[in-house]
Amino acid sequence: MAYHQKHLSFVAFLLLIVNLHGEHSMAKEVVPVGVVLDLNATVGGIAKRCMSMALSGFYAVNDDYNTRIALLTMDSGNDVIAAASAALDLMKNEEVHAIIGPQRSAQAKFVIELGRKAQVPIISFSATSPSLSPAQNPFFLRTALDDSAEVKAIAAIVKAYGWREIVLIYEDTDYGNGLIPYLMDAFEEIETRMPYRSAIPPFSNNSEIAQEIKKLNETYNARIFLVHMTASLASKLFVLANNAGMMREGYAWIITAGLSALVDPLGPKVKESMQGVLGLRPYIPRSKQLEDFRRRWKRNLTSSKPNVKITGLNLFGLWAYDTAWALAMAVEKAGIIHSGFLKKNASKSNVDLAALGISETGQTLLDTILTTEFQGLSGKFHLIKGQLEPSVFEILNVIGKTERIIGYWTIQRGLSQELDDNNEVAYSISKDKLKQPIWPGDRTEQPPKLRIGVPVKLGFDEFLKVEWDPRTNKPIISGFSHDVFLAVLKALPFPLPYEFIPFMNKDRQSAGTYDELTYQIKLQKYDAVVGDTTIIANRSLYVDFTLPYSESGVSMVVLVKDNEKTNFWIFLKPLSLDLWLTTGAAFVITGVVIWVLEHRINSEFRGPRVQQLGTIFGFSFSTLVFAHSEKVLSNWSRFVMVIWFFVVLILTQSYTASLASMLTVQRLQPTFVDVKEIRKNGYFVGYQNNSYVEGLLLKQLTFDRSKLKAFSTYEEYHEALSKGTQNGGVAAFFDEIPYIKLFLAKYCSRYTMVGPTYKSDGFGFAFPLGSPLVPYISRAILNVTQDTNKLGAIEQTYFSSGGSTNCEHPSASISSNIPSLSLHSFGGLFIITGTVSLISLLVCFFKFFGTHWPTLSNSNLESSFWSKLIEMAKYFDQKEDPSSHPNIERRTSRVHAISSPDVIEFRHNMENHSRIFDFVSDRDESPPPMSFPSRRSDITSLHVDVPN
């Protein structure tokens, strides 16, 4: 405080000289204004000079003004308590009408409360933290931009370059913490994740900062950084980051406006460590006034300290200049003359808050400043709600010893390369609107490149193939998975730089399994894995998968054989056993029904018992080919036969169709259909080398490891299956369905896919756990897979070559499970024919019993019931009198007219002639002549000439 008192005494001496000079000329009202700055800091030193030059210039132009501002400057020493003490001293003892400062947001927080209590305007050009709000502190004015004003511009840059993750490194002070909520909201709006926030205390030493940098690089694998801190702390950070190798290719850094405004004064060593950094700062329009000031600034420094290197002018210096200018204008407008403080209590202590008075002109001066407008060095000075309004931000790129402007951001137009107010264009956040920046490592390729691991395989390269360019010795990647990934990248709403890195050893052979490949993401060797990588549960413990772009699942492929033994009895297979038995029974039952209906009236169904049994079976089974020779006379028999012929027709046609299918298809059958049989017999099985199928065979299917053989090409599969189980080959191989389809497309006539399918979620792309790229990539995969033209073209390129188009689907050409026809399929037919037969039998029995039972009962009254049934059976076995049958009656009615002695001979001749007529008709010959006697008495001589 001794320094402060000496400094204030010197200021009082100057005020005395001004007053004495006023007596010689026109009297000027001296208005004391306090200044609280960190005079040893870059911003404080430059601001003090700028304000002094501003007042000199202002009063040189406005010499006729009645007021003169006298700046009473005190050094806060980068200390919050010192700043508050200095402000209190200025208010209480010097009765300043306003205070410019303090410099830092943490200091301003306390000083603002003092200004509110004393009603003294606190005007800060450097306390930019959003936590200090002029709306909430009526005597606080910010003649600078609020830090939150640049948040939308930062978000536009991040979105333009497609960064989905960014790490914030900030100073752990009110200045650093105040911006975090605004950044979080802005990044959430553009769907960019902030996985980690690195808070560095302002007094951290190099060792502590280096440790934090190491954690960011190794633990979080961060590549994109946003730095929000003061120049003193940032200068340490970038030098240490450069030493740690984080200012090279693959990294990107953005600095906020508070640091971008101070790039020039940081010094050559710090700027050398910041090569490729992007910065954002308020745009300062060019003007003659600004150019004149720059010349005066350089001349002033050279004349005052010729041996000291000129310090670059910065934005805060311009804001300090405009602040002093605006305050001088407001003091004159407010007409502050002979004003002071209203004292509450007298006290000799410099820090007695109770003795702090209230400024008589504070409110008037505050209102005047709020209405003051002019064109300052930094642009238009006009306070809205107590602070400057944002307009334009310029985007700079640190290159060499200078900063190159690569574009601008405005609220109306977004990003643009040039400022042109005449053309109205739509809001843009495209990186094409900016000039090409030079990134860390002196690269033009946008960081970070996505390091994509790809598998190296000897075979099965339709999905991913790695070749080497003989000229450049760089890998050339191709395949279905590769092309799908490129199509997905084109469907993304942002650019995504990448490079493919083969997962190989020094001999350019595969460096491990697919599990080991995906685990490299957790080890931070890769940022993603692209290839035929199956989505399975254990891998999802350390990576996140996108949605699948191809179906998958594991199945078994075996050799097929021609099974001739089965063909020996194949004619029995079309019908199941129950259908065979039911059909046979139906034939017999139908024959019995017809025999019952025809036995009493049809001589062809009579004769010895053995002959009648043969008639029953012969008649029924001959209907199978519709070759029965017996004629039926009963209408009920004909009704039964019509239904039965329909049943036989359906059965024969179905049998023929089923047998034809079996004879066509079933000659080739798989050698094995059951995994248990292979495992039980101890046969070898194969799988694709380095795939997860090995684990499935060991854990889920419980094969012994000694029975597993790994293969790398389709040819090895073919050779092993061809050898068989007895010649050192394998009984089957297990692989994912996409590979099996390709194998069967090449060898479709010799192998088949059998058994159950062990489901998986298909092929997907792998990313780190929690990666924000996964939802974007998944949505893009849906767009690609649902576009049949785009996906179809890729599939046509890799899966429709060679002879694959000539092969049918395996299940269509080889099948061992064509089912036999079952009884259930024909149950309705048998019910219909059984019902018809039953009805016909019932009608026949009712008619027979109705005719003969009464007669039998009356003649044999004493006989038992069973005796009567036996008699009825004898009646039934007797041939029915022709006169009782309608058909027979019509055929013999003319014979009754013949004299009775000759009836038998005549009937006999008629029957012979009828048979002869039928025989001759079959031979297409005319029947032999038959002579009848001319008289009734000659009927006995009736005869027929029968040819030999």
Side-chain angles (χ1 to χ4, degrees), residues 115 129 139 145 221 270 353 536 545 610 665 670 698 704 737 913:
S129 173
F139 281 87
L145 291 182
N221 194 29
V270 177
L353 296 179
I536 54 177
F545 283 100
V610 176
V665 176
L698 293 173
D704 188 86
I737 291 177
H913 186 272

Side-chain angles (χ1 to χ4, degrees), residues 249-555:
E249 179 185 2
Y251 293 85
W253 296 78
I254 304 175
I255 55 177
T256 58
L259 186 54
S260 298
L262 299 174
V263 171
D264 271 342
L266 288 177
K269 183 178 181 181
V270 177
K271 290 189 70 172
E272 183 181 349
S273 301
M274 295 177 65
Q275 296 300 299
V277 171
L278 293 185
L280 194 71
R281 66 189 176 195
Y283 169 69
I284 305 300
R286 292 181 179 180
S287 64
K288 184 178 182 302
Q289 183 183 1
L290 178 60
E291 295 301 322
D292 292 342
F293 175 74
R294 290 184 186 277
R295 285 191 295 270
R296 287 193 293 126
W297 171 265
K298 293 180 181 180
R299 187 169 57 250
N300 183 288
L301 288 179
T302 304
S303 61
S304 61
K305 292 184 179 181
N307 297 326
V308 177
K309 186 176 180 180
I310 298 174
T311 304
L313 186 64
N314 58 50
L315 177 64
F316 293 105
L318 299 181
W319 278 339
Y321 185 99
D322 289 345
T323 300
W325 191 285
L327 186 57
M329 290 180 64
V331 166
E332 181 68 22
K333 289 180 182 180
I336 300 176
I337 299 175
H338 304 297
S339 61
F341 276 56
L342 298 176
K343 299 292 183 178
K344 289 186 176 180
N345 298 301
S347 175
K348 295 183 179 181
S349 174
N350 291 338
V351 293
D352 186 3
L353 296 179
L356 187 63
I358 299 176
S359 174
E360 297 177 327
T361 60
Q363 186 65 53
T364 303
L365 182 58
L366 177 69
D367 295 338
T368 306
I369 296 174
L370 288 173
T371 58
T372 299
E373 294 185 35
F374 64 94
Q375 192 66 32
L377 295 184
S378 62
K380 184 178 180 180
F381 185 92
H382 181 208
L383 300 182
I384 304 296
K385 296 181 180 179
Q387 61 185 3
L388 290 181
E389 282 292 294
S391 56
V392 181
F393 285 91
E394 61 183 10
I395 304 168
L396 60 90
N397 184 204
V398 179
I399 303 175
K401 297 180 180 180
T402 62
E403 307 97 49
R404 170 173 166 257
I405 305 302
I406 64 172
Y408 302 89
W409 178 89
T410 62
I411 297 176
Q412 297 79 15
R413 299 174 55 187
L415 301 177
S416 61
Q417 287 190 15
E418 303 293 341
L419 286 177
D420 187 359
D421 296 333
N422 296 326
N423 296 329
E424 293 186 3
V425 295
Y427 188 88
S428 173
I429 51 173
S430 171
K431 71 173 183 177
D432 297 333
K433 296 294 184 179
L434 302 175
K435 297 176 183 178
Q436 174 63 55
I438 304 299
W439 300 101
D442 198 25
R443 299 286 183 175
T444 57
E445 296 86 1
Q446 175 189 328
K449 277 188 176 181
L450 204 65
R451 300 169 300 170
I452 302 176
V454 294
V456 176
K457 308 169 71 173
L458 295 177
F460 310 102
D461 52 13
E462 288 85 356
F463 283 91
L464 200 124
K465 184 177 183 180
V466 178
E467 299 174 298
W468 297 90
D469 191 324
R471 295 177 301 174
T472 63
N473 203 32
K474 292 184 177 180
I476 302 174
I477 312 299
S478 61
F480 177 75
S481 300
H482 168 268
D483 287 7
V484 169
F485 182 73
L486 295 186
V488 166
L489 293 186
K490 292 180 180 178
L492 291 176
F494 51 84
L496 188 63
Y498 63 91
E499 62 174 332
F500 289 112
I501 305 174
F503 183 54
M504 63 182 185
N505 54 28
K506 61 181 180 180
D507 298 323
R508 291 184 175 177
Q509 302 297 318
S510 176
T513 66
Y514 277 70
D515 288 341
E516 294 170 335
L517 170 60
T518 54
Y519 197 75
Q520 302 303 305
I521 296 177
K522 183 176 178 62
L523 298 178
Q524 300 180 4
K525 299 293 182 63
Y526 301 138
D527 300 315
V529 167
V530 169
D532 45 349
T533 312
T534 307
I535 304 172
I536 54 177
N538 69 306
R539 293 174 184 169
S540 65
L541 297 176
Y542 46 85
V543 297
D544 275 348
F545 283 100
T546 63
L547 290 177
Y549 63 86
S550 177
E551 65 174 0
S552 189
V554 176
S555 192

Side-chain angles (χ1 to χ4, degrees), residues 573-645:
K573 283 192 173 182
L575 305 183
S576 62
L577 178 61
D578 56 352
L579 184 56
W580 274 118
L581 296 176
T582 304
T583 302
F587 272 106
V588 174
I589 292 173
T590 302
V592 171
V593 170
I594 296 300
W595 177 83
V596 171
L597 296 176
E598 294 290 326
H599 176 68
R600 301 189 70 247
I601 61 174
N602 193 338
S603 59
E604 294 187 13
F605 289 85
R606 299 186 62 81
R609 286 184 172 81
V610 176
Q611 180 180 345
Q612 292 184 50
L613 187 62
T615 300
I616 291 173
F617 285 98
F619 177 82
S620 61
F621 285 99
S622 63
T623 58
L624 183 63
V625 292
F626 308 102
H628 56 287
S629 59
E630 295 82 3
K631 294 183 178 180
V632 294
L633 301 179
S634 172
N635 288 332
W636 287 106
S637 299
R638 293 169 184 156
F639 181 43
V640 171
M641 291 301 296
V642 168
I643 301 301
W644 176 245
F645 285 153

Side-chain angles (χ1 to χ4, degrees), residues 115-236:
R116 181 185 61 81
K117 184 176 182 63
Q119 296 186 8
V120 174
I122 307 298
I123 309 168
S124 178
F125 58 85
S126 57
T128 56
S129 173
S131 62
L132 304 175
S133 171
Q136 298 175 356
N137 302 280
F139 281 87
F140 171 59
L141 298 176
R142 180 160 34 215
T143 55
L145 291 182
D146 181 352
D147 283 339
S148 63
E150 63 181 314
V151 166
K152 289 186 178 180
I154 294 173
I157 295 174
V158 172
K159 187 170 184 179
Y161 289 105
W163 294 324
R164 312 327 300 176
E165 282 188 341
I166 189 167
V167 171
L168 174 65
I169 306 176
Y170 65 100
E171 183 178 300
D172 193 12
T173 60
D174 287 353
Y175 167 71
N177 290 300
L179 191 61
I180 293 178
Y182 299 90
L183 287 173
M184 296 292 289
D185 291 342
F187 288 153
E188 183 179 356
E189 186 176 344
I190 64 172
E191 298 181 335
T192 292
R193 195 165 64 101
M194 191 184 293
Y196 181 72
R197 300 195 298 268
S198 175
I200 299 180
F203 300 106
S204 298
N205 56 39
N206 287 352
S207 176
E208 293 169 339
I209 298 175
Q211 186 66 31
E212 183 67 17
I213 289 174
K214 181 179 180 181
K215 181 170 67 173
L216 292 174
N217 191 29
E218 297 181 0
T219 303
Y220 294 98
N221 194 29
R223 294 291 182 269
I224 312 297
F225 302 96
L226 174 64
V227 179
H228 179 61
M229 56 180 56
T230 56
S232 58
L233 189 59
S235 60
K236 298 179 183 179

Side-chain angles (χ1 to χ4, degrees), residues 39-179:
L39 297 177
N40 293 324
T42 301
V43 173
I46 293 176
K48 181 175 180 291
R49 291 178 178 273
C50 288
M51 287 189 291
S52 177
M53 293 175 68
L55 292 179
S56 298
F58 179 81
Y59 290 121
V61 176
N62 302 289
D63 183 60
D64 57 336
Y65 278 18
N66 296 322
T67 56
R68 293 291 186 270
I69 289 179
L71 298 178
L72 307 179
T73 305
M74 298 188 72
D75 186 10
S76 63
N78 193 23
D79 183 77
V80 174
I81 302 301
S85 177
L88 182 60
D89 188 17
L90 289 169
M91 293 180 193
K92 183 174 182 294
N93 299 316
E94 304 300 332
E95 296 186 352
V96 294
H97 293 270
I99 291 180
I100 300 176
Q103 182 175 322
R104 301 181 184 276
S105 298
Q107 298 168 344
K109 188 175 183 180
F110 292 93
V111 175
I112 288 172
E113 287 299 315
L114 294 175
R116 181 185 61 81
K117 184 176 182 63
Q119 296 186 8
V120 174
I122 307 298
I123 309 168
S124 178
F125 58 85
S126 57
T128 56
S129 173
S131 62
L132 304 175
S133 171
Q136 298 175 356
N137 302 280
F139 281 87
F140 171 59
L141 298 176
R142 180 160 34 215
T143 55
L145 291 182
D146 181 352
D147 283 339
S148 63
E150 63 181 314
V151 166
K152 289 186 178 180
I154 294 173
I157 295 174
V158 172
K159 187 170 184 179
Y161 289 105
W163 294 324
R164 312 327 300 176
E165 282 188 341
I166 189 167
V167 171
L168 174 65
I169 306 176
Y170 65 100
E171 183 178 300
D172 193 12
T173 60
D174 287 353
Y175 167 71
N177 290 300
L179 191 61

